[in-house]
Amino acid sequence: MPAFPVTRLRRLRRTESLRDLVRETRVTVNDLIYPIFVEEEIDTPVPIASMPGVSRIPERDLEREVEAIARDGIKALLVFGVSHHKDASGSDACRPDGLVARMVRAAKRAAPDLVVIPDICFCEYTDHGHCGVIEHGHVDNDATIENLARQAIVAADAGADIIAPSAMMDGQVAAIRAGLDGAGHGEIPIMAYSTKFASAFYGPFRAASGCDLKGDRKTYQMDPMNGREALLESALDEAEGADMLMVKPGLPYLDVLARLRDRTSLPIAVYQVSGEYAMIKLAAAAGAINERAIVRETLGAFKRAGADLIFSYFARDIAREGW
Ligand code: PBG
């Protein structure tokens, strides 16, 4: 390429229309997945203080709320349950009439075309708050993946469109794939939370989901300092049969996302998590940044770095306001 003054990159930046013409990355509502929290046995929505604009939806309002979300233009929904029936193994999540199954059925009844994705994990259903069953003071990997497969089957029986396991157990994708196939759900895809870090950015989620965790998840979620290991996690999930991969959190892990993009041909999702949402909301409320612009810049950065899909609590704003 000839140097300046023959080459002037500013030529293509002169007008809005020229910039529109050469823009490399676009985000549409088709790329976005909107996470919601659904609480059983409550009558009114419970606002989450650390996530302004996000509330736990009462289970009894779920159908009405999902209809409104679909009317706004959202195409895909991630559902988290806030359980009042917790025990040591999180058994409610595996019951055909438990909260996971009821949420999926209600969401599909309200909007049959909406892609309904249950988060397949146990932390919202265990009384200790860990993502699986505890044996001798540790989360037992092999017992937990059997339970994850059970939960996945229950969710698929209820009508889930995608199964998204987030427990970070070894072998969870293979166990769930075998379970789904054995139960006649060979056509249901798995979106693996393949690269999930033990991140402080999940802070506000813990309040939002009513999780009672004492301690941390460092024996199963990844060390935030490990990039190569993140690629291994994703490669293993791909080998176990994952249909889609995920990087989570988003903004602090764009390097992982970009490296993974170069290694896989599967669709990659990225999760702009609760702490990322809170930072933007609270900084905007303090007048430090322009929320509308920052939301678009961050979502665009995810796609530029290689994401196909984006989980974001801002998804509904984008659906309503347009880009
Ligand atoms: C459940 C789960 C978590 C998130 C999604 N699924 C919490 C955690 O792993 O501690 C975090 C989402 C967010 O922070 O927005 N395992």
Side-chain angles (χ1 to χ4, degrees), residues 44 135 164 213 240 260 296:
T44 46
E135 293 289 346
L213 180 70
E240 288 178 25
L260 183 58
R296 283 154 183 78

Side-chain angles (χ1 to χ4, degrees), residues 37 51 78 80 119 121-124 131 166-167 193 196-197 201-206 209 213 217 221 248 271-275 313:
F37 301 95
M51 298 178 73
L78 179 69
F80 291 106
D119 181 88
C121 195
F122 287 101
C123 55
E124 294 112 73
C131 298
S166 74
Y193 280 70
K196 180 171 176 182
F197 291 92
F201 282 92
Y202 309 148
F205 175 92
R206 303 266 162 96
S209 66
L213 180 70
R217 306 198 196 287
Q221 296 181 349
K248 176 184 175 191
Y271 199 136
Q272 183 181 48
V273 301
S274 57
Y313 302 97

Side-chain angles (χ1 to χ4, degrees), residues 288-310:
I289 58 170
N290 174 337
E291 176 179 323
R292 197 188 149 93
I294 293 260
V295 167
R296 283 154 183 78
E297 188 172 329
T298 53
L299 298 181
F302 294 136
K303 284 213 79 177
R304 191 198 62 233
D308 301 288
L309 310 163
I310 306 167

Side-chain angles (χ1 to χ4, degrees), residues 21-314:
L21 209 55
V22 298
R23 184 159 304 122
E24 298 174 28
T25 307
R26 279 170 227 279
V27 181
T28 77
V29 76
N30 295 325
D31 308 317
L32 302 178
I33 301 166
Y34 183 52
I36 59 169
F37 301 95
V38 182
E39 182 164 3
E40 58 185 350
E41 299 173 345
I42 59 168
D43 292 320
T44 46
V46 181
I48 317 265
S50 55
M51 298 178 73
V54 177
S55 296
R56 297 185 195 164
I57 300 164
E59 186 188 358
R60 50 185 63 114
D61 295 345
L62 183 56
E63 285 190 50
R64 203 163 3 108
E65 192 59 29
V66 169
E67 280 167 17
I69 289 167
R71 261 200 313 277
D72 280 344
I74 289 291
K75 307 285 181 71
L77 203 59
L78 179 69
V79 286
F80 291 106
V82 181
S83 174
H84 289 203
H85 295 88
K86 301 187 187 206
D87 62 20
S89 68
S91 63
D92 183 73
C94 296
R95 291 212 332 260
D97 59 347
L99 182 55
V100 173
R102 296 199 309 272
M103 291 187 302
V104 170
R105 277 197 296 268
K108 289 304 289 183
R109 257 197 316 269
D113 293 335
L114 195 71
V115 176
V116 174
I117 311 171
D119 181 88
I120 300 295
C121 195
F122 287 101
C123 55
E124 294 112 73
Y125 300 92
T126 51
D127 47 20
H128 45 72
H130 277 292
C131 298
V133 285
I134 308 267
E135 293 289 346
H136 311 296
H138 282 287
V139 177
D140 185 305
N141 191 87
D142 299 13
T144 298
I145 63 177
E146 279 179 35
N147 289 347
L148 286 165
R150 270 186 216 118
Q151 185 186 155
I153 293 166
V154 161
D157 285 344
D161 295 290
I162 298 176
I163 294 298
S166 74
M168 284 301 281
M169 297 296 129
D170 289 325
Q172 64 181 15
V173 172
I176 289 171
R177 185 71 272 157
L180 289 173
D181 290 355
H185 290 299
E187 79 290 1
I188 300 295
I190 298 174
M191 181 190 291
Y193 280 70
S194 54
T195 302
K196 180 171 176 182
F197 291 92
S199 171
F201 282 92
Y202 309 148
F205 175 92
R206 303 266 162 96
S209 66
C211 172
D212 299 328
L213 180 70
K214 290 170 199 65
D216 59 53
R217 306 198 196 287
K218 291 179 186 169
T219 69
Y220 40 106
Q221 296 181 349
M222 282 193 52
D223 184 335
M225 300 301 115
N226 293 357
R228 259 185 291 125
E229 188 190 0
L231 301 176
L232 260 181
E233 279 283 5
S234 286
L236 287 171
D237 282 4
E238 185 166 344
E240 288 178 25
D243 300 279
M244 297 182 239
L245 302 172
M246 193 197 301
V247 174
K248 176 184 175 191
L251 213 54
Y253 298 89
L254 289 182
D255 60 322
V256 173
L257 181 56
R259 287 164 76 185
L260 183 58
R261 176 72 293 157
D262 287 341
R263 307 246 177 150
T264 183
S265 299
L266 292 182
I268 306 175
V270 66
Y271 199 136
Q272 183 181 48
V273 301
S274 57
E276 297 176 71
Y277 176 85
M279 290 201 306
I280 293 174
K281 275 288 182 189
L282 300 177
I289 58 170
N290 174 337
E291 176 179 323
R292 197 188 149 93
I294 293 260
V295 167
R296 283 154 183 78
E297 188 172 329
T298 53
L299 298 181
F302 294 136
K303 284 213 79 177
R304 191 198 62 233
D308 301 288
L309 310 163
I310 306 167
F311 290 85
S312 174
Y313 302 97
F314 291 112

